[in-house]
Amino acid sequence: MGKRNAKAKSSADFQLPIVQDLKIVDDKYLDEEQKYEREMQDLLRRYQALKEPLLQERLQVLTSSSEVDGEVTACGTPGLRGFWPEALLHLPTVEDLIEQWDLPVLDYLRNVESAPLDPDKVEKGFGLTFSFVDNPYICNATLWKEYHTFETSPYNAQVDVEIKVSPIEWKPGKDVTVVEVKKKKKSKAGNSAKPSKSKLEPRDSFFRGFFRSLKRGE
C-alpha cells in the first residue's frame, strides 16, 4: 500500500500549477537546446568537408610506394610502414585491446575512416571503416563498425546505443582470435602413447574485442 500511495501522490504533484509552470519553462529550454544542436551539426558538417581533403592528402602520402633494398614494401602504408598499428596503440579507447599477434594483421591496414550514419542527422550515430590491402590474414577488403544511438528522453540527453559490426572472414589457419591448444592423452601402463589432440580456443584480440556487436539496452 505504501508504494501505491507514493505513486498516487507523485501523480497528483504533477498536476500542481507550479509543476505545470516549470514544465512550460523546461519545454522552452529544450527548444533552445535543440536549436543549439542543429547549429552544432551544421558546424560539424562544414568543418568535416574542410578536413576531408587533408585526410585524402594524408592517405596519398601514406600509401605512396616505398622501396627497401629495391623491393616494394608490402603493407597498408608503404610510405610509412606501421603507421596505423602505432596510431592505434596510442589511442586510449583501443590500446588495451591490441595484442602482439594483432600487429602483423594491422600492418596491412590502409586507412580508417569515420562518417555519420545519416549526414543530415548526426545524432543517429556514426560508422568506422577499416580498409585493408590484400594480405595473408583476412579476405575482407574492409571491416566496419556502426554505433547507432537512440534518444531515450529529450530532457536528460540520455541515449541507448546499439553496435553493429561486419563479420570477419579469416583465411585458413590465419585467425588470430584463436590459438591451437594441444592436449596430451594419458596412456595406460603397457600401452603405447596415444597421439595428442588439438583444438582451437579463443584468445584476446583487437579483432575479437573491438569488432563485437552490442544490442540496444545491453
Side-chain angles (χ1 to χ4, degrees), residues 164-183:
K164 298 180 180 181
V165 298
S166 59
I168 302 176
E169 185 180 353
W170 294 97
K171 292 183 178 180
K174 295 295 185 177
D175 187 349
V176 299
T177 69
V178 295
V179 61
E180 185 178 11
V181 177
K182 291 186 178 181
K183 292 191 174 182

Side-chain angles (χ1 to χ4, degrees), residues 112-184:
V112 180
E113 299 172 279
S114 173
L117 298 177
D118 185 342
D120 295 324
K121 296 181 179 179
V122 295
E123 72 276 9
K124 286 190 173 182
F126 67 96
L128 298 172
T129 302
F130 292 69
S131 302
F132 290 84
V133 297
D134 186 43
N135 64 85
Y137 294 95
I138 59 175
C139 300
N140 312 64
T142 60
L143 297 177
W144 52 263
K145 184 174 185 177
E146 295 178 345
Y147 296 82
H148 297 255
T149 53
F150 306 88
E151 186 181 68
T152 57
S153 171
Y155 295 102
N156 58 16
Q158 191 172 2
V159 296
D160 281 345
V161 178
E162 180 179 9
I163 298 176
K164 298 180 180 181
V165 298
S166 59
I168 302 176
E169 185 180 353
W170 294 97
K171 292 183 178 180
K174 295 295 185 177
D175 187 349
V176 299
T177 69
V178 295
V179 61
E180 185 178 11
V181 177
K182 291 186 178 181
K183 292 191 174 182
K184 294 182 179 179

Side-chain angles (χ1 to χ4, degrees), residues 48-206:
Q48 187 62 37
L50 292 173
K51 291 189 293 182
E52 186 58 32
L54 298 175
L55 295 175
Q56 290 302 316
E57 184 178 349
R58 181 185 69 184
L59 176 62
Q60 186 176 0
V61 171
L62 288 173
T63 56
S64 60
S65 61
S66 177
E67 293 189 4
V68 178
D69 297 330
E71 295 184 0
V72 177
T73 305
C75 65
T77 55
L80 181 59
R81 183 164 195 163
F83 172 83
W84 283 114
E86 191 68 22
L88 292 173
L89 282 170
H90 285 81
L91 188 63
T93 53
V94 300
E95 61 179 346
D96 291 336
L97 297 176
I98 299 174
E99 304 290 345
Q100 283 297 318
W101 42 85
D102 294 319
L103 297 177
V105 189
L106 292 173
D107 203 26
Y108 291 95
L109 185 56
R110 179 176 183 270
N111 199 20
V112 180
E113 299 172 279
S114 173
L117 298 177
D118 185 342
D120 295 324
K121 296 181 179 179
V122 295
E123 72 276 9
K124 286 190 173 182
F126 67 96
L128 298 172
T129 302
F130 292 69
S131 302
F132 290 84
V133 297
D134 186 43
N135 64 85
Y137 294 95
I138 59 175
C139 300
N140 312 64
T142 60
L143 297 177
W144 52 263
K145 184 174 185 177
E146 295 178 345
Y147 296 82
H148 297 255
T149 53
F150 306 88
E151 186 181 68
T152 57
S153 171
Y155 295 102
N156 58 16
Q158 191 172 2
V159 296
D160 281 345
V161 178
E162 180 179 9
I163 298 176
K164 298 180 180 181
V165 298
S166 59
I168 302 176
E169 185 180 353
W170 294 97
K171 292 183 178 180
K174 295 295 185 177
D175 187 349
V176 299
T177 69
V178 295
V179 61
E180 185 178 11
V181 177
K182 291 186 178 181
K183 292 191 174 182
K184 294 182 179 179
K185 279 193 172 183
K186 293 181 179 180
S187 58
K188 294 182 180 180
N191 295 335
S192 57
K194 295 182 179 179
S196 59
K197 282 190 174 182
S198 64
K199 68 173 185 176
L200 296 177
E201 292 188 352
R203 65 176 175 180
D204 292 338
S205 166
F206 170 76

